[in-house]
Amino acid sequence: MEDEGGGPNDDGSDWNDNGQFEWNLEELPLSGDVEATLERIEWVGDLLDEAVTIPGTNYRVGLDPLLGIVPVGGDAIGTVISLYIIGEAARVGVSKSTLAVMIGLVAADAVIGSIPVLGTLFDAVWKANKWNVSLLKRELGA
């Protein structure tokens, strides 16, 4: 049976008869459970922004400023991980305005965080991921 371009073939593959790969977000193997989503993004937010307590203080930092120390790609890796939280927010249906704010927070983190030395200090203070988790939770009423 010929696929008319509307989705996967009858055989369950994601390749249509035109040789194009087709999928949509709803078909990804992720739990649609909002509680599970919140647990995942809280874990990622904590990992990036508050994973380790600085000895002798009550201040916490995460992988984000530590990745910023890595030359060339460290900040890019942190940004990609930060985008996971935004992707999950989009998947559970937060508003476009909230997504825009979330993207702005991560963009500021990426741009300023890439400045040598100053960027690492900025990453230690600017908790974009924790803010994004809070924005998502607020919008979902969680």
Side-chain angles (χ1 to χ4, degrees), residues 93-106:
V94 300
S95 67
K96 289 180 182 177
S97 61
T98 298
L99 287 174
V101 170
M102 294 172 84
I103 291 168
L105 289 168
V106 172

Side-chain angles (χ1 to χ4, degrees), residues 3-18:
D3 188 330
E4 296 177 14
N9 281 327
D10 291 337
D11 66 2
S13 74
D14 290 320
W15 294 93
N16 67 20
D17 292 335
N18 298 326

